[in-house]
Amino acid sequence: MMLEVAMDLMMPRAVQHVVDEAIAKADSSLVLYYGLFMFGATVMGIFGGVMCGFSAIRAAMGFGADLRHALYKKIQSFSFGNLDELDTGSLITRVTNDVTQVQDIVSMVLRGMIRAPLLLIGGLTMAILTSPQLALLFLGLVPVVIGFLIFIIRRTYPIYGEVQRRLDRLNSRLQENLEGVRVVKAFARAKFEEERFDQANDSLRDGNLKAARFGVLPGPFMMVVLNVGVVAALWIGGVGVSKNSISVGEIVAFVNYLGMTLMALMFFSMMLTQLSRAAASAERIVEVLHTEALVTSPADPKLPSESGGAIEFDHVHFAYGDSDEALTDIHFKVEPGQTVAILGSTGAGKSSLVNLIGRYYDPTQGTIRLDGLDLREYEESVLRQRIGIAFQEAVLFSGSIRDNIRYGKPDATEVDVELAAEVSQASEFIRSKPDGYDTEVGQRGVNLSGGQKQRVAIARALVRKPEILILDDSTSAVDMRTEARIQEGLVRTAKGQTRLIVAQRIRSVMHADKILIMHDGRIVAEGTHSELMANSPIYKEIFDSQKTRDEEVRDATE
């Protein structure tokens, strides 16, 4: 770029010599000499500009790729608590649109922000050397331009920040609508959703228009300043020529340097406007990069003296952010190899409890121990390798059914995959498909039923052969008979495995070693089925109501 700018700055001086020496003396050889010189300088300038442009684009693209990687890696390190606070649509905007804004400005900066200052300083210097008298014009023009630029920057910076936030809202609305499009169609709410999207879309458009009103001002303003400068230079120069204090060639050269300088300022103003937009995006990117994960591995992780899957909740309290407590004074123990069932109404805190075992969240008070060691003393990856979990919502990824089952253990053998599918009662429906285990799963498992997705998710947890298995209401979409077969398969194949099963139906877990009854974030009863039937009115009431309902369903189907 320095080579290109140097060649540009030589051109007006060469033109000055052509006018004052070659043309004034009618010397064609000098015209040819300076013409060849200018041609050579142009070729060298083009070479420098092309190489600079290519290098700048390559550097900017690499920077953008590195930045996206850094953001994605950071997001992967976030705990569930971080993801609860950061909207998914906003994260997508930051990884895509915000990075693109910053990447584009890096490319522009590597070219324009070097070229413009060099041309500005070089043009001013050469203008002063060419004609100190005419150079006084800069004293009146430059402060006006700088004041205008400061005004534009101060007005546009907050506007661009608001534009990106409106883009967040648009992306969030779009993502939410696409994920729930079946619900929208089922309830004939397409018109309502279209209006909501239009509101976000119109808001984004209005924000961009507001920013554009300021963005279009620098160009016309700079052209006016340039034209005023040229007229003033010609008037003062004309007076100087009549007094023989300035040559015609000096006027021509000065006007060229004046144009270079003001164009550099104009480009600089456009760059600063773009920089204010990129700065707003950069601020949002930095916010993600500087967000500390709420759950992190200790600097000096430990391992238990012996492992077996013993779990202890020691007076644990937990709340989501600033909300009321989801769990209050939870205290119980699970011995290695035990099966513990967790029952309770919706919102009782069942999922919150099991999510703490995998340390997806940390308790706000109290301690959770695995094999006698506080979960916070484990390396995260080591802890989670011991746990297999099927979440309440069965999330599958694009790829084959086999790929989804192997997701938690990529090196699982074909035998492992088929055994896990058999225990989860997924093998029957998988084999019924033309491609079997190679059947492609659509986005989020769209071509599978709710029960099929849940069974694949259970197989995904089982294929790891974990010491601790957590089923978080992961059979809610399967029938009672299938659920019973899943429970039988677990008892048959996973000897010595500690299991925590969040369930809705007592009949599916009544043979558990221990049953916990939860209500409003507390454990209100604990024991075996027979103990609870004898001592817990709440448990007996739930059992009787479910028994009556099951009998009514059975009678209706017979």
Side-chain angles (χ1 to χ4, degrees), residues 314-428:
D314 186 2
H315 299 288
V316 169
H317 297 249
F318 173 69
Y320 293 98
D322 297 327
S323 304
D324 295 336
E325 282 194 337
L327 298 174
T328 302
D329 198 27
I330 301 297
H331 187 78
F332 69 94
K333 292 182 180 180
V334 181
E335 299 299 330
Q338 276 193 331
T339 296
V340 175
I342 305 170
L343 303 176
S345 58
T346 301
K350 306 183 297 294
S351 295
S352 298
L353 187 150
V354 295
N355 280 337
L356 294 180
I357 297 172
R359 208 184 166 215
Y360 308 121
Y361 299 90
D362 275 337
T364 52
Q365 187 179 331
T367 305
I368 305 171
R369 299 182 184 90
L370 173 59
D371 293 324
L373 189 65
D374 190 329
L375 293 186
R376 286 169 285 207
E377 296 184 278
Y378 279 89
E379 172 71 37
E380 274 187 80
S381 58
V382 172
L383 170 65
R384 289 170 187 167
Q385 282 170 4
R386 300 180 60 185
I387 299 172
I389 184 167
F391 289 104
Q392 194 170 18
E393 180 185 1
V395 176
L396 303 183
F397 300 94
S398 55
S400 67
I401 291 177
R402 179 184 288 102
D403 292 337
N404 273 276
I405 294 177
R406 278 181 174 163
Y407 189 80
K409 190 180 180 184
D411 59 347
T413 64
E414 196 67 25
V415 173
D416 291 336
V417 170
E418 291 180 3
L419 178 60
E422 185 179 337
V423 174
S424 69
Q425 303 302 305
S427 57
E428 185 177 344

Side-chain angles (χ1 to χ4, degrees), residues 272-324:
L272 289 176
T273 303
Q274 292 301 314
L275 270 171
S276 66
R277 181 167 199 163
S281 293
E283 205 172 84
R284 289 154 48 81
I285 291 171
V286 169
E287 182 185 356
V288 175
L289 293 176
H290 285 185
T291 298
E292 294 296 330
L294 298 177
V295 174
T296 58
S297 296
D300 184 23
K302 299 178 182 178
L303 291 173
S305 56
E306 56 182 50
S307 61
I311 302 168
E312 179 185 1
F313 275 65
D314 186 2
H315 299 288
V316 169
H317 297 249
F318 173 69
Y320 293 98
D322 297 327
S323 304
D324 295 336

Side-chain angles (χ1 to χ4, degrees), residues 480 507 545-555:
M480 287 186 290
R507 285 186 177 276
S545 66
Q546 289 189 5
K547 181 181 178 181
T548 302
R549 186 170 64 247
D550 292 345
E551 290 173 349
E552 289 174 350
V553 171
R554 186 168 58 251
D555 293 341

